[in-house]
Amino acid sequence: MNTIKRTTGVISAILFAFLGFSGVYLYNAGFKPASYTPSKVKVRIKSGMTTGQIAELLENRKVIRSKNAFVVLAKIYGKTGQLKAGVYELDGSKTLIKILKSLLYGNIMLRHVTVPEGLTIRQTAEIMAKAGFCDAQPFVDAAKDKKLIERFKINGRDAEGYLMPETYLFPQEASAKEIVTMMIATFFKKVEPIRMKYRPGAILEFKDVITMASIIEKETGSRQEYKIIASVFHNRLKKDMRLQADPTVIYGLPAFDGNLRKKDLRYDSPYNTYRYKGLPPGPIASPGLAAIEAAYNPNDSTYLYFVAMNKNGRHYFSRTLKEHNRAVTKYQLRGKRK
């Protein structure tokens, strides 16, 4: 009987000693950082990696002290297999628990990219590629995805005009489809208040508003001119005149070298507003909110023509063709003769 008690006591002592040692081990591994000075390291956690593989990677990169302690703590939290993939910037001076929580909560690195107004799908794709998010072609393909177009009820063949110009924060690992989806969703979220404001008395359908806004965006670099240029287009549509907008011609050309020629104005394209009346089939770029509001709410004017006066993008507006021709001679032809 005493022998059994002694044996039990020994086992209990060993067990308590083991638990105590384990507790100290976990404390040191879990609460003490791998480094006592800030040491930020970029780590890419790939989709499908096990907790053990992640722990080994972190240990090799000297982000944590012990891969075994990391796995144990993940099991204690009951989150094994729930660590999120992505690119992280982890600091070896942080405790193991804080690093584990970063992976649990998906505190992945976000990178910013700015998309200015007036860009086409292809131009936006090139910006994303240059920023290191995705290749240009997958982005273009995503912007043409029929299911995505149907999901957002876009009345067109692709997302041209509906990629909101904005400064975005995207995860490094974001796919082309995820980026395009975010940009379209942002577009509708930001445009909806303007749409609701003018919807009751809107003359144009929503698609036509965005199409006109995209032309306005391409025609001038001055926001002060948006509404007056919008008035010119509205006035020409009312009079059943061709818009004769150079940016629409350029958009429809198979190739453009930066110099619009007379022969280009004769090129047969549904986007050639020198040949065909009315608005083109769809937007030619992504407009900003100011251009969209101008398309909804143009200035009250009788102008029918405008011509660029200088390299700053400002224009001279005319009510008659005679006045317009004089302006063209003054601001365009004379400059070319010098």
Side-chain angles (χ1 to χ4, degrees), residues 76-127:
I76 291 174
Y77 272 85
K79 301 295 183 180
T80 301
Q82 296 183 35
L83 305 183
K84 295 177 174 60
V87 176
Y88 294 81
E89 187 174 61
L90 300 174
D91 189 344
S93 66
K94 301 297 182 182
T95 64
L96 181 62
I97 291 177
K98 287 185 177 180
I99 291 172
L100 176 63
K101 287 182 177 181
S102 290
L103 301 182
L104 285 173
Y105 300 150
N107 296 333
I108 57 179
M109 286 183 65
L110 296 175
R111 294 180 58 190
H112 79 273
V113 59
T114 298
V115 180
E117 294 87 350
L119 298 189
T120 63
I121 289 173
R122 173 60 66 176
Q123 291 169 330
T124 305
E126 290 169 357
I127 283 182

Side-chain angles (χ1 to χ4, degrees), residues 171-238:
Q172 180 66 52
E173 297 291 291
S175 67
K177 187 174 182 179
E178 289 171 336
I179 293 173
V180 170
T181 301
M182 174 64 75
M183 294 184 74
I184 298 175
T186 302
F187 174 88
F188 282 103
K189 179 180 179 180
K190 294 207 167 191
V191 172
E192 190 62 15
I194 298 175
R195 187 180 185 181
M196 291 297 100
K197 180 179 178 180
Y198 295 106
R199 188 174 185 178
I203 298 173
L204 300 175
E205 294 292 330
F206 181 66
K207 174 188 175 182
D208 294 332
V209 169
I210 304 305
T211 299
M212 181 180 286
S214 71
I215 303 173
I216 294 169
E217 195 74 71
K218 299 293 288 185
E219 283 283 13
T220 180
S222 172
R223 293 194 176 189
Q224 286 73 27
E225 291 189 337
Y226 283 176
K227 289 196 172 187
I228 193 168
I229 285 181
S231 74
V232 172
F233 291 144
H234 274 276
N235 291 339
R236 293 179 77 91
L237 288 175
K238 289 175 184 177

Side-chain angles (χ1 to χ4, degrees), residues 126-196:
E126 290 169 357
I127 283 182
M128 292 301 168
K130 188 175 181 180
F133 285 105
C134 61
D135 291 335
Q137 192 55 50
F139 184 95
V140 173
D141 293 339
K144 294 181 178 180
D145 186 282
K146 290 184 178 179
K147 290 184 179 179
L148 197 59
I149 302 306
E150 292 173 359
R151 172 183 167 185
F152 286 98
K153 299 179 181 179
I154 294 174
N155 184 10
R157 63 185 181 182
D158 52 35
E160 190 75 274
Y162 299 91
L163 302 176
M164 190 71 216
E166 181 66 272
T167 295
Y168 292 93
L169 282 171
F170 292 122
Q172 180 66 52
E173 297 291 291
S175 67
K177 187 174 182 179
E178 289 171 336
I179 293 173
V180 170
T181 301
M182 174 64 75
M183 294 184 74
I184 298 175
T186 302
F187 174 88
F188 282 103
K189 179 180 179 180
K190 294 207 167 191
V191 172
E192 190 62 15
I194 298 175
R195 187 180 185 181
M196 291 297 100

Side-chain angles (χ1 to χ4, degrees), residues 10-36:
V10 171
I11 293 175
S12 298
I14 294 174
L15 180 59
F16 281 118
F18 174 76
L19 291 175
F21 173 79
S22 298
V24 171
Y25 171 76
L26 285 176
Y27 174 83
N28 288 332
F31 291 91
K32 287 189 176 181
S35 171
Y36 288 101

Side-chain angles (χ1 to χ4, degrees), residues 308-327:
M309 292 190 295
N310 49 49
K311 293 182 180 180
N312 293 329
R314 300 304 295 267
H315 294 82
Y316 182 89
F317 295 87
S318 305
R319 295 176 176 82
T320 66
L321 181 58
K322 185 177 181 179
E323 182 186 2
H324 174 65
N325 288 337
R326 285 200 301 266

Side-chain angles (χ1 to χ4, degrees), residues 257-331:
D257 62 5
N259 184 23
L260 189 65
R261 302 171 177 83
K262 285 187 177 181
K263 67 176 184 178
D264 295 328
L265 303 182
R266 297 191 294 270
Y267 182 76
D268 192 5
S269 161
Y271 288 89
N272 189 339
T273 53
Y274 278 83
R275 292 190 59 146
Y276 297 101
K277 293 180 179 179
L279 290 162
I284 61 172
S286 289
L289 298 178
I292 294 172
E293 182 149 16
Y296 267 120
N297 186 37
N299 278 0
D300 184 11
S301 84
T302 55
Y303 291 126
L304 293 171
Y305 307 91
F306 59 87
V307 62
M309 292 190 295
N310 49 49
K311 293 182 180 180
N312 293 329
R314 300 304 295 267
H315 294 82
Y316 182 89
F317 295 87
S318 305
R319 295 176 176 82
T320 66
L321 181 58
K322 185 177 181 179
E323 182 186 2
H324 174 65
N325 288 337
R326 285 200 301 266
V328 170
T329 300
K330 178 179 180 180
Y331 296 111

